Amino acid sequence: MSVNKKSNSSRNLKIFLLVSTFFLILAAYFGFQFYQTYFAPNISGKEKYLYVRSHASYEDFLKELQENGALRNFERFQKAALQMELADRLRPGRYLLTEGLNNRTLINKIKSGNQEAVSLKIQNFRKKENLAAYLAKNLEADSVDFMSVIDSVPLLDSMGYTRENIYTLFIPNTYHIYWNTSPIDFFNRMKKEHDQFWTAERKEKAAALKLNPTEATILASIVDAEALFDREMPTIAGLYLNRLERGIRLQADPTVIYANGDFTVKRVINSLLKKDSKYNTYLYGGLPPGPIMMPSIQAIDAVLNREKNNYIYMCAKEDFSGYHNFAETQAQHEVNAKKYREALNKRNIYR
């Protein structure tokens, strides 16, 4: 082989190696960029959830995402989202941002609407306004939107409820609900849960007491407000049912406190008893028009399974244990009430 041929062959090999190396570097570069754009972890850890708001434009979504600092590299996410056509399939919701999550997985999660439900503890709310505020804190809609549904007269009429007794619809429990659930959808969910709770057996027990589910729940709210301990609930329920059956006013202190709207009261005095309100069971007979709080399931079942007794009166025990003294006669009750009044006076509790 001549020297020129060897020289040409060596030069061609060098060119081939250089070109190959160039393309390898180029491929590695684009491969790295592809990996960084789609598969590299991109969660900053500053936010636990990514929120896609209902009716928000794609531009609004991107702006909020950039401002909240949830991503390590916003530009790479934006590029991946463009290539994966996220703008055409942006699904509202609350999406969990786990450590190590990459753009591709996150975008697919949003496109499919694979969001994490909110765990709502619906219990112990005194008024429906308190419930609406709690829902607004944990779900997308605000309290005004929730109240507009709960107080919607046409809707309530269609379901046989009033603004006063609609609160009996809500059964205390922990519910898993999507963050962007609308107020009307939430309301319908609660109606479904209510209907499932009020089984044929529970309805039969209520009917045997000459109550419907709404009335039983209203009475349960009074029982729940009176009882510090669940074990006393059936006894208290039996007492109030005795009063209803005999046409005696309930004279329940918690209803007076509710009527006056001052929940700091520790001692119901005569001036409070004069409050003219349908919720004041000292002035008006029968059940109040609505519940005075959201009763627990234990309280509802305590009414349905009330203790059969002859009690007409009750008074908190003078030892402030939270339990009550029960009485069948007014004379017995006066003895119990006197001991409790004296105990209040010793502690300087006059209101």
Side-chain angles (χ1 to χ4, degrees):
M1 182 180 294
S2 65
V3 175
N4 288 337
K5 287 183 178 181
K6 286 183 179 181
S7 177
N8 289 336
S9 177
S10 178
R11 184 169 59 253
N12 291 338
L13 179 60
K14 289 180 179 180
I15 293 173
F16 173 78
L17 291 174
L18 287 172
V19 171
S20 298
T21 300
F22 171 77
F23 280 108
L24 284 173
I25 294 173
L26 195 63
Y29 171 78
F30 283 108
F32 178 76
Q33 292 301 318
F34 183 84
Y35 170 80
Q36 289 293 321
T37 300
Y38 293 97
F39 297 102
N42 197 28
I43 304 302
S44 68
K46 293 182 179 180
E47 299 288 336
K48 187 175 181 179
Y49 295 99
L50 182 153
Y51 294 91
V52 180
R53 306 187 185 282
S54 301
H55 311 301
S57 67
Y58 182 63
E59 290 71 23
D60 290 337
F61 160 71
L62 290 179
K63 181 180 179 181
E64 182 175 349
L65 182 59
Q66 185 177 26
E67 291 176 349
N68 65 27
L71 303 177
R72 293 179 184 175
N73 191 307
F74 171 77
E75 287 72 22
R76 288 199 178 106
F77 175 87
Q78 189 175 21
K79 180 180 179 181
L82 178 63
Q83 294 297 319
M84 297 177 68
E85 301 179 337
L86 177 60
D88 297 330
R89 293 176 59 185
L90 191 64
R91 301 281 295 275
R94 184 186 78 146
Y95 300 94
L96 182 64
L97 299 177
T98 56
E99 184 179 355
L101 191 67
N102 59 54
N103 291 333
R104 182 176 180 275
T105 302
L106 177 57
I107 292 168
N108 282 331
K109 189 183 270 195
I110 298 172
K111 289 170 66 175
S112 65
N114 184 21
Q115 60 173 306
E116 184 175 273
V118 177
S119 180
L120 293 177
K121 292 184 178 180
I122 308 297
Q123 58 188 17
N124 299 328
F125 295 105
R126 193 180 298 277
K127 293 183 176 182
K128 56 188 177 181
E129 290 83 0
N130 303 131
L131 172 62
Y134 172 76
L135 295 175
K137 182 179 178 181
N138 291 277
L139 301 178
E140 181 180 22
D142 62 28
S143 58
V144 174
D145 292 331
F146 282 109
M147 285 302 300
S148 67
V149 172
I150 295 175
D151 278 343
S152 171
V153 174
L155 178 62
L156 300 182
D157 286 345
S158 70
M159 301 176 68
Y161 288 96
T162 66
R163 284 182 172 178
E164 288 76 24
N165 67 27
I166 183 56
Y167 209 30
T168 64
L169 174 76
F170 302 98
I171 303 299
N173 213 331
T174 298
Y175 299 100
H176 298 287
I177 297 175
Y178 288 130
W179 171 78
N180 57 313
T181 297
S182 69
I184 187 64
D185 286 341
F186 173 80
F187 189 91
N188 289 333
R189 168 72 183 278
M190 292 299 100
K191 179 63 167 63
K192 180 180 178 181
E193 297 288 346
H194 172 276
D195 293 345
Q196 289 177 348
F197 172 81
W198 280 100
T199 60
E201 180 183 4
R202 281 192 170 104
K203 288 180 180 179
E204 289 172 4
K205 288 182 176 181
L209 300 172
K210 298 180 181 180
L211 302 173
N212 59 38
T214 297
E215 292 167 335
T217 304
I218 292 173
L219 180 55
S221 74
I222 300 174
V223 171
D224 209 346
E226 289 277 23
L228 183 60
F229 303 102
D230 290 357
R231 65 198 305 182
E232 271 199 343
M233 286 182 178
T235 304
I236 296 173
L239 182 155
Y240 282 128
L241 283 166
N242 290 339
R243 281 181 165 263
L244 287 174
E245 290 171 2
R246 301 180 193 184
I248 304 172
R249 292 176 186 173
L250 295 183
Q251 295 185 326
D253 286 358
T255 67
V256 176
I257 294 172
Y258 183 89
N260 282 272
D262 184 355
F263 301 106
T264 64
V265 171
K266 295 181 179 180
R267 183 175 185 172
V268 175
I269 56 179
N270 288 333
S271 61
L272 298 177
L273 297 177
K274 297 177 182 179
K275 177 69 176 182
D276 188 9
S277 167
K278 293 293 184 181
Y279 286 91
N280 184 349
T281 56
Y282 276 80
L283 293 182
Y284 292 90
L287 292 169
I292 60 171
M293 63 178 294
M294 181 183 291
S296 64
I297 290 176
Q298 290 86 346
I300 297 173
D301 284 339
V303 169
L304 301 180
N305 300 282
R306 59 89 171 83
E307 175 186 288
K308 292 183 179 180
N309 57 55
N310 294 315
Y311 296 136
I312 297 296
Y313 304 96
M314 61 182 288
C315 180
K317 283 191 172 183
E318 65 279 6
D319 61 2
F320 296 95
S321 63
Y323 287 99
H324 294 81
N325 286 314
F326 298 93
E328 297 180 9
T329 67
Q330 186 170 359
Q332 291 173 334
H333 175 63
E334 284 300 326
V335 172
N336 296 331
K338 183 175 182 295
K339 288 189 291 186
Y340 184 60
R341 286 195 298 269
E342 290 174 349
L344 288 174
N345 292 339
K346 286 181 180 179
R347 296 196 178 196
N348 295 318
I349 299 174
Y350 296 103
R351 192 178 189 281

